[in-house]
Amino acid sequence: MRPLKTSQVSTLLLCKVQSGLMVHPDREHIVYPLGCNIIIEDITKEAKQCILSGHTNDVTCIDISNDGRYIVSGQETFMGFKAIITLWDYATKKAIQKWELHKVKVQAVAFSKSGKYVISLGGQDDGSVVVWDMVTKEPICGSPAQVESAGITTCLATSKVSDEVFVTGGDNTLRVWTIDKENRKIRPSNTNLGGFKRSITCIEMVDDQVEDMPYFFCGTTTGDILCINKSTNILQFEFPGKDKFCLGVTAISFVKMTDKGFNMLIGTGSGIVGNYNISVCFEKGNKVKTVFKHRSDAKPWKHCESAITSIAKRGAGHQFFVGTDHSQVYKFQFADYSADLIKTCHSCPVNDIIFPFGVAQLILTCQEGEIRVWDLTTGRELRRFVLANKVCNALAISRDGKIVVSGWNDGKIRILGFKSKDLSLELKHVVMDAHNKGVTAVALTTRGDQVISGGGDGMVRMWEIITFMDHTGKKEMRADLRHSMKEHKNCVSEIVIASSDKECASASGDGTTIIWDLTKGSRKTVVFANTLFKSVCYGEDEHQIITCGTDHKIGYWETYDGSMIRELEGAKAGAINFMDITSDQKAFATGGEEKLIKLWRYREGEVTHVGKGHSANISRIRIAPDNRSLISVSEDGAILQWRFPAV
């Protein structure tokens, strides 16, 4: 049994984590979390990726040491268990230390200035801050992160001039801490905000810039930024006084000191990224006067599609990357403030994936409210169809590639086409009330003129697509119902059509897989099992079908009478959610709650390769038409492309 190898990864959770997108000090790689994994991606022309696997649940925070030698990451876990902090060696890409002390969740982690310590902050159910010694790899001390009257502490930053100082902030709490290693204690000092009550979302330390101004800046949910003097631990000023940032300040990054003051990059909850100069001067009586304005030579604010979660500088900041909570990454040039969208990903679970007939370079995927077209050679998104407040459950595409049939949770089948000018997806026709409880499966015949749909109500229906000219001479489309077949008592999971277009097989959660006669619109054969069927494929010469479901078994069945041929143990635990078979029907692949891709020989019924890379339940698998690659998607929104081996 040999491992499958990934050739490309598209990611969801990289930007869901606050400050989760980072640039490595070597300036050639970006680092971000993907579910249980950490991705190291080359941002040069090669664009290679490396996956660090070791966490048992979603990664919630990440940091890189200033010398680039180490990566530290924290995760969340289930109630009553302790969350893991993992220390990684960047050179070997291996975990060298695991710490378990915080309960349920690690909220934030950070290296000290020279990498002498690692500071970790627990989540809501833990509420403690712990200092770890990087020499002994043992905890030095810990303390409650906030006073009892305060809210939850959510963010953490370390001083840029001292290993012994760090700052924590959160809901009505802001503290400067000093590490006393000799006495194994950390001593907090509550910041005097002068009557202000704020919820801190991010902290940026600039205490290394001006000797008499050891400041740090704190973004808040109310849309203003607090400037704190680290030495006196007193609020120096807050800005802007008016016209505060909409939906709060979510990311701050200091760029450089200029003759006009502190030059800062600011990201907001409304998706705005701006470049500001903050100049500070002292008047009589040590009264602070600030001038806060947008950089005059910069272009206007860049408005991204969703909230900013990360601003990661490359080097001194001549180039920087911005991540959003809809899993988009922008690359900005600081000189002219130009921006390019370099990476897009799914922002919620991927429900289905398909290849166009005979094309191995393109895929179509769907999620809540969206259908996307991807180029696998570059990993880039090409086109997108958006329908707000609806969930697309299933996709099918005609052999000529002219129409895309999609099933939605509102019970409608939407037929899409490609515009002739820019090949963008446009809505051609809507089949109203196709199914009562949402459309959960769709399939197209080889001619592309008939659609078979399955729904949450257990119905399997056959529709004929008719194209005609209206009175203005415009080409129109309609779908007429030909057959309505009611046998299933539960949701239809998948429908596959035989190459002859005369029959199809439907898998259902009621424990049956039914083979239908499409010419008569009636049941031909039924298969019963003590499981919730998830997927079905036609086997060799279409005289057999293979099924999988919640009993983690793979069944071979005769299409003639529904009798079982044999049964295989497909997984050690959990359901097998999907399977797909090669075009020559000599091998098939499975995936599910085990989070593993397994490649099987059809006749021998044995596993030849296993792929490990997903950090959430695998929802769909598709083998490319040329049998050279395999695409899998999961509930965390990841799309993984695997090299398909010779079996």
Side-chain angles (χ1 to χ4, degrees):
M1 192 184 300
R2 290 167 288 178
L4 278 173
K5 296 182 179 179
T6 54
S7 56
Q8 192 169 341
V9 181
S10 178
T11 55
L12 158 68
L13 293 178
L14 69 156
C15 302
K16 291 284 187 181
V17 176
Q18 192 69 28
S19 301
L21 177 64
M22 306 190 77
V23 177
H24 191 270
D26 66 7
R27 305 185 184 186
E28 295 181 356
H29 297 84
I30 56 174
V31 182
Y32 51 83
L34 166 64
C36 309
N37 303 323
I38 295 170
I39 308 298
I40 301 174
E41 183 173 338
D42 195 332
I43 53 178
T44 60
K45 293 181 180 180
E46 296 181 0
K48 294 181 179 179
Q49 293 173 330
C50 176
I51 301 177
L52 305 184
S53 299
H55 285 283
T56 58
N57 212 319
D58 289 345
V59 176
T60 55
C61 52
I62 189 173
D63 194 31
I64 306 173
S65 61
N66 290 330
D67 58 9
R69 293 175 58 195
Y70 301 106
I71 298 174
V72 65
S73 56
Q75 69 168 64
E76 63 181 350
T77 186
F78 303 103
M79 191 68 66
F81 294 88
K82 291 184 178 180
I84 297 173
I85 301 171
T86 304
L87 182 67
W88 307 85
D89 186 290
Y90 182 79
T92 62
K93 308 295 189 294
K94 293 182 179 180
I96 58 176
Q97 186 68 40
K98 288 183 182 290
W99 295 311
E100 290 186 45
L101 201 58
H102 294 289
K103 298 175 183 177
V104 185
K105 182 181 180 181
V106 182
Q107 185 71 38
V109 288
F111 283 99
S112 62
K113 172 183 175 290
S114 64
K116 186 178 179 181
Y117 306 114
V118 169
I119 297 95
S120 62
L121 175 65
Q124 179 177 358
D125 300 287
D126 183 78
S128 65
V129 59
V130 178
V131 178
W132 307 83
D133 193 327
M134 282 292 289
V135 177
T136 63
K137 305 294 190 295
E138 296 292 334
I140 297 174
C141 53
S143 174
Q146 64 277 319
V147 297
E148 292 185 0
S149 60
I152 305 166
T153 304
T154 57
C155 50
L156 165 69
T158 55
S159 170
K160 293 185 178 180
V161 297
S162 172
D163 279 307
E164 278 69 35
V165 178
F166 64 93
V167 180
T168 60
D171 185 10
N172 198 26
T173 176
L174 185 60
R175 307 177 103 181
V176 178
W177 301 75
T178 304
I179 301 172
D180 184 358
K181 184 179 180 181
E182 292 183 0
N183 296 313
R184 300 181 71 90
K185 288 186 178 181
I186 46 176
R187 308 182 190 280
S189 174
N190 292 317
T191 302
N192 181 5
L193 297 181
F196 283 93
K197 289 186 180 295
R198 293 289 187 271
S199 181
I200 308 299
T201 56
C202 53
I203 302 172
E204 177 70 3
M205 304 292 293
V206 293
D207 54 342
D208 60 336
Q209 297 301 314
V210 182
E211 186 175 350
D212 58 346
M213 289 191 292
Y215 292 162
F216 62 91
F217 294 91
C218 303
T220 68
T221 56
T222 50
D224 52 2
I225 297 174
L226 308 180
C227 179
I228 312 296
N229 189 317
K230 188 190 72 175
S231 300
T232 62
N233 207 11
I234 296 175
L235 174 67
Q236 289 292 121
F237 54 88
E238 61 92 21
F239 59 90
K242 298 180 180 179
D243 300 324
K244 299 186 186 301
F245 298 106
C246 182
L247 300 181
V249 178
T250 54
I252 304 175
S253 182
F254 170 78
V255 181
K256 60 182 177 180
M257 285 294 296
T258 66
D259 55 352
K260 297 180 181 179
F262 297 94
N263 189 245
M264 311 281 287
L265 297 170
I266 298 172
T268 72
S270 61
I272 288 176
V273 183
N275 189 357
Y276 266 94
N277 284 316
I278 302 102
S279 59
V280 182
C281 60
F282 292 90
E283 297 180 338
K284 292 182 180 180
N286 288 331
K287 184 178 179 180
V288 178
K289 180 181 178 181
T290 62
V291 178
F292 176 67
K293 63 180 181 178
H294 189 259
R295 205 181 93 197
S296 59
D297 60 333
K299 292 184 179 180
W301 292 94
K302 173 65 180 179
H303 202 294
C304 303
E305 292 185 10
S306 57
I308 307 301
T309 58
S310 306
I311 298 177
K313 294 180 297 183
R314 187 180 185 184
H318 68 286
Q319 191 179 82
F320 61 95
F321 297 85
V322 172
T324 73
D325 68 355
H326 278 190
S327 301
Q328 296 169 319
V329 178
Y330 294 84
K331 182 170 71 174
F332 283 77
Q333 303 297 334
F334 186 80
D336 58 1
Y337 212 57
S338 60
D340 295 317
L341 179 61
I342 63 169
K343 199 172 185 67
T344 59
C345 311
H346 283 282
S347 55
C348 49
V350 184
N351 296 325
D352 201 2
I353 178 172
I354 56 171
F355 280 95
F357 180 75
V359 180
Q361 294 77 34
L362 298 177
I363 57 170
L364 283 79
T365 59
C366 66
Q367 65 158 54
E368 180 181 346
E370 291 179 356
I371 298 172
R372 304 192 190 194
V373 182
W374 301 84
D375 183 353
L376 290 180
T377 56
T378 61
R380 295 290 185 91
E381 178 186 336
L382 300 179
R383 298 290 183 269
R384 183 187 304 188
F385 174 79
V386 179
L387 187 63
N389 304 319
K390 301 291 186 291
V391 178
C392 184
N393 295 320
L395 293 173
I397 188 169
S398 61
R399 289 203 169 195
D400 59 8
K402 292 183 178 180
I403 63 170
V404 177
V405 178
S406 56
W408 298 74
N409 69 331
D410 59 356
K412 298 175 182 177
I413 297 174
R414 291 177 170 87
I415 302 174
L416 311 173
F418 292 93
K419 292 182 180 178
S420 57
K421 292 183 179 179
D422 56 1
L423 296 179
S424 60
L425 286 167
E426 63 175 348
L427 188 62
K428 294 286 188 180
H429 180 68
V430 179
V431 181
M432 307 295 290
D433 302 320
H435 292 273
N436 289 334
K437 297 181 180 180
V439 182
T440 56
V442 291
L444 268 168
T445 58
T446 55
R447 297 190 303 272
D449 59 350
Q450 291 177 328
V451 178
I452 315 299
S453 65
D457 53 4
M459 299 288 290
V460 176
R461 287 177 169 152
M462 182 175 178
W463 310 83
E464 186 172 354
I465 301 175
I466 300 173
T467 304
F468 62 96
M469 307 295 287
D470 64 5
H471 64 281
T472 62
K474 183 180 179 182
K475 185 181 290 187
E476 294 290 343
M477 183 183 295
R478 75 170 190 266
D480 295 342
L481 180 64
R482 292 296 180 231
H483 300 296
S484 184
M485 299 167 279
K486 175 63 175 174
E487 291 281 351
H488 292 299
K489 302 297 190 294
N490 205 334
C491 170
V492 177
S493 305
E494 189 188 9
I495 296 173
V496 291
I497 302 176
S499 58
S500 64
D501 287 344
K502 293 181 179 180
E503 68 175 41
C504 73
S506 61
S508 173
D510 62 357
T512 64
T513 294
I514 299 177
I515 298 174
W516 304 92
D517 187 328
L518 295 181
T519 57
K520 298 178 180 178
S522 61
R523 185 183 75 187
K524 186 176 179 181
T525 310
V526 62
V527 167
F528 294 96
N530 188 23
T531 182
L532 307 181
F533 283 117
K534 294 285 190 177
S535 183
V536 60
C537 291
Y538 274 100
E540 282 190 352
D541 301 325
E542 299 183 350
H543 296 315
Q544 301 171 0
I545 57 170
I546 52 175
T547 60
C548 63
T550 55
D551 61 351
H552 50 82
K553 296 188 186 308
I554 298 170
Y556 289 61
W557 312 83
E558 287 280 5
T559 58
Y560 176 71
D561 57 1
S563 59
M564 176 174 280
I565 301 170
R566 67 174 168 182
E567 191 174 63
L568 305 174
E569 191 74 21
K572 292 182 179 179
I576 304 174
N577 291 333
F578 204 76
M579 61 179 7
D580 194 26
I581 195 165
T582 57
S583 55
D584 58 10
Q585 299 174 336
K586 292 182 179 180
F588 64 93
T590 61
E593 295 179 2
E594 209 176 20
K595 304 174 187 176
L596 299 175
I597 302 293
K598 293 184 179 180
L599 189 60
W600 303 71
R601 286 195 181 99
Y602 183 85
R603 287 189 175 181
E604 292 82 355
E606 61 183 26
V607 179
T608 60
H609 295 77
V610 176
K612 184 179 179 181
H614 281 286
S615 55
N617 295 341
I618 298 168
S619 53
R620 287 289 189 272
I621 297 172
R622 297 289 183 189
I623 299 172
D626 59 1
N627 291 345
R628 292 184 178 180
S629 64
L630 182 150
I631 306 296
S632 59
V633 297
S634 55
E635 292 179 0
D636 61 0
I639 304 172
L640 269 64
Q641 183 180 5
W642 309 79
R643 297 185 184 93
F644 197 88
V647 294

